[in-house]
Amino acid sequence: MTVRRLPIPEGIGGLRADQGLSKLLGLSRSAVAEIIAQDGVRQDDRVVSKSTRLAPGTWVDVQLPGPKQPLLPQAEEVVGMKILHVDSDVVVVDKPVGVAAHPTVGWEGKTVLGGLAAAGIDVTTSGPPERKGIVHRLDVGTSGVMVVARSERAYTLLKKAFRERTVDKTYHAVVQGHPDPLEGTIEAPIGRHPKKSYKFTVIEGGKMAVTHYETLEAFREASLLKVHLETGRTHQIRVHFSSLHHPCVGDPMYGCDPKLAKRLGLKRQWLHAVSLGFDHPNGRHLVISSDYPEDLSHALDILRQN
């Protein structure tokens, strides 16, 4: 831990401590708030709170934490995670709902990398420490096909393939209502929500995202869609269909009807990565598919009966 002593200039004077120090230190307000919560900031030798107003001409002492240790996956069996394909270059898994791809700050549940380690399947050392071998991800609440690189060659080639959009990513989704037209393409930029940092939205200045879809079945209250992603933005399918007022059934973050989700017995969004097609490092083209898990199949059965 290091201590930095900083003068409060006129332009910062009068601001809340978390806001002003965020500007002075180049840290996020949440990071500064965490330091303040640990009594890590003093103004003229008095401990300040987040709402303390910084006085121009005074000095503040800030206790900056040392570098955090990298999050490393812990070997832990992931019940329900199936190995769909494995060789010396890649491993393809059927990721269950409630499992993250790799460790992240704030996530204390199981991960794909931890499950692979528990199964004795090693992955490449390429990539950041907490996500070695990870070339793409599925949301915690999304199930289905996911590939992880086991060799450095596979990591390099797959990262390039995902970046150049040559991987065929196909999902099935059940959305509320009936999209019009029944088959089409959604092109809209996606970025972080300006007021709710935990979610994303269609927003000017966001990263361009392209989603192709076609209706497979239409029910009274919802539609089963086949979705092909051209890009791979965070929450892309959920955000795009929510922006059209057809959120994924069972997805309260993006505006689903909770009563419909309850009737279908859903505790997560109806979204499943059904297949992944990519060029294997050995030159073959692999297409790996996954069946619907039980909760999604059950929800479909109820829709078909109504």
Side-chain angles (χ1 to χ4, degrees):
M1 181 176 292
T2 59
V3 177
R4 287 187 63 183
R5 186 170 175 79
L6 303 166
I8 302 301
E10 288 291 338
I12 299 297
L15 296 180
R16 286 169 47 112
D18 56 348
Q19 182 183 8
L21 292 176
S22 173
K23 294 178 180 295
L24 280 177
L25 297 168
L27 299 175
S28 67
R29 288 181 67 171
S30 60
V32 172
E34 185 176 340
I35 296 171
I36 292 173
Q38 297 173 3
D39 295 337
V41 179
R42 289 176 174 268
Q43 181 173 233
D44 284 347
D45 206 33
R46 286 185 294 182
V47 174
V48 304
S49 68
K50 289 191 301 182
S51 58
T52 298
R53 298 290 172 173
L54 297 174
T58 61
W59 289 78
V60 292
D61 295 292
V62 183
Q63 295 181 2
L64 296 174
K68 293 184 178 180
Q69 295 297 316
L71 294 168
L72 299 177
Q74 301 298 311
E76 188 175 8
E77 180 185 4
V78 175
V79 177
M81 188 174 83
K82 302 174 184 176
I83 305 299
L84 301 176
H85 173 91
V86 62
D87 57 43
S88 59
D89 285 307
V90 301
V91 55
V92 183
V93 303
D94 194 350
K95 187 189 85 66
V97 65
V99 177
H102 58 79
T104 57
V105 175
W107 175 253
E108 298 180 354
K110 297 185 178 182
T111 67
V112 169
L113 290 184
L116 290 175
I121 299 175
D122 59 334
V123 299
T124 180
T125 57
S126 298
E130 74 280 7
R131 54 181 188 271
K132 292 185 183 298
I134 296 294
V135 292
H136 75 123
R137 292 172 288 186
L138 296 178
D139 296 343
V140 170
T142 301
S143 52
V145 185
M146 180 179 156
V147 60
V148 180
R150 299 193 67 201
S151 69
E152 185 176 348
R153 176 179 63 161
Y155 182 84
T156 301
L157 292 176
L158 285 172
K159 287 289 283 187
K160 182 173 184 287
F162 277 100
R163 184 171 60 251
E164 295 180 351
R165 306 178 187 177
T166 60
V167 178
D168 185 18
K169 298 172 286 185
T170 304
Y171 294 74
H172 283 185
V174 173
V175 302
Q176 291 180 197
H178 308 106
D180 183 16
L182 297 178
E183 179 176 344
T185 296
I186 308 168
E187 295 187 46
I190 291 176
R192 196 170 290 278
H193 195 287
K195 296 182 180 179
K196 301 175 181 178
S197 61
Y198 58 87
K199 63 187 294 188
F200 292 78
T201 188
V202 169
I203 189 170
E204 185 177 353
K207 294 181 178 180
M208 181 50 63
V210 182
T211 302
H212 307 283
Y213 72 91
E214 62 177 282
T215 301
L216 298 178
E217 290 185 67
F219 313 108
R220 184 168 60 87
E221 298 176 276
S223 302
L224 172 64
L225 308 180
K226 179 180 180 181
V227 182
H228 173 72
L229 289 185
E230 188 171 317
T231 53
R233 309 304 178 202
T234 303
H235 298 180
Q236 179 171 325
I237 295 172
R238 300 163 64 191
V239 171
H240 267 174
F241 284 100
S242 175
S243 73
L244 298 181
H245 307 292
H246 297 294
C248 288
V249 173
D251 190 1
M253 181 182 291
Y254 290 105
C256 80
D257 178 357
K259 294 181 180 179
L260 176 59
K262 184 177 181 179
R263 288 204 306 274
L264 300 180
L266 283 174
K267 297 181 179 179
R268 51 105 164 202
Q269 65 262 18
W270 204 115
L271 182 60
H272 185 67
V274 294
S275 72
L276 193 67
F278 59 92
D279 290 333
H280 191 280
N282 64 17
R284 291 185 297 129
H285 186 72
L286 280 184
V287 178
I288 310 293
S289 301
S290 163
D291 295 330
Y292 299 154
E294 185 176 347
D295 61 335
L296 302 189
S297 292
H298 176 70
L300 265 185
D301 288 342
I302 295 175
L303 285 171
R304 286 169 176 151
Q305 292 167 7
N306 292 339

